[in-house]
Amino acid sequence: GDVRAAILLLLEGEAMHGYELIQQIKDRSDGVWKPSPGSIYPALAQLEDEGLVSIEKIAGRKTAQLTDEGKKYVDEHRAELGDPWADVHAGVGDQALDLRALTGQLMGAAAQVAAVGSPEQAQRAGDVLTEARRALYRILAEDGVADGEEK
């Protein structure tokens, strides 16, 4: 995704610190895109160097907000900035989004077993997950697509 565009568009609404920007991008992309701090903070520094963003320490956190020049830039370049969240969705496709949602549910169930299950239940859950991974590779292998299946 276009981290720069996402930051500028998010800061148009309100000042935010880096973690908030990451969460907002993740939320607006329905979990498809979660930029790392290693992409957010350098982008913020670059935007600050360009005079589009100012960073101040508020409540112990470095908080970014658009400068007047930044607001003007967003207004004048709105079409160019586009909709970075829609762009990410378009690049992923419905099939991947559906599988990603199911994977999230599976991870939630595994986390529950890890948190409250007995050691025997955790072992059985691990066996289920291992078999699920192998089964997914077998599905790909049926079409001659998978190279990563364990034998």
Side-chain angles (χ1 to χ4, degrees):
D2 186 347
V3 173
R4 186 177 195 278
I7 290 171
L8 288 169
L9 292 168
L10 286 170
L11 293 179
E12 183 181 35
E14 64 180 294
M16 294 185 201
H17 54 78
Y19 179 76
E20 286 175 310
L21 289 164
I22 292 169
Q23 287 304 116
Q24 283 293 315
I25 291 170
K26 180 183 171 196
D27 292 348
R28 289 184 186 217
S29 69
D30 297 323
V32 173
W33 176 25
K34 184 180 179 192
S36 69
S39 63
I40 291 290
Y41 292 106
L44 281 170
Q46 179 64 39
L47 291 167
E48 185 178 32
D49 288 347
E50 293 175 34
L52 302 177
V53 167
S54 66
I55 298 176
E56 298 176 27
K57 205 162 201 175
I58 300 175
R61 294 186 165 227
K62 291 183 178 180
T63 303
Q65 60 187 3
L66 289 181
T67 61
D68 290 339
E69 186 178 334
K71 292 173 188 174
K72 181 179 175 185
Y73 180 88
V74 170
D75 286 340
E76 292 175 357
H77 295 87
R78 190 167 306 280
E80 180 184 320
L81 294 171
D83 184 348
W85 300 276
D87 293 345
V88 168
H89 272 277
V92 173
D94 291 340
Q95 167 180 298
L97 291 175
D98 291 343
L99 288 175
R100 191 177 288 246
L102 290 170
T103 301
Q105 293 171 10
L106 180 64
M107 289 173 53
Q112 283 294 314
V113 174
V116 298
S118 68
E120 295 79 20
Q121 289 171 323
Q123 175 62 47
R124 287 179 32 216
D127 293 344
V128 167
L129 292 173
T130 299
E131 179 52 35
R133 178 179 46 82
R134 290 179 177 156
L136 290 170
Y137 279 124
R138 283 193 297 271
I139 289 168
L140 289 175
E142 289 171 4
D143 295 329
V145 177
D147 293 327
E149 180 178 4
E150 289 185 6
K151 304 208 180 219

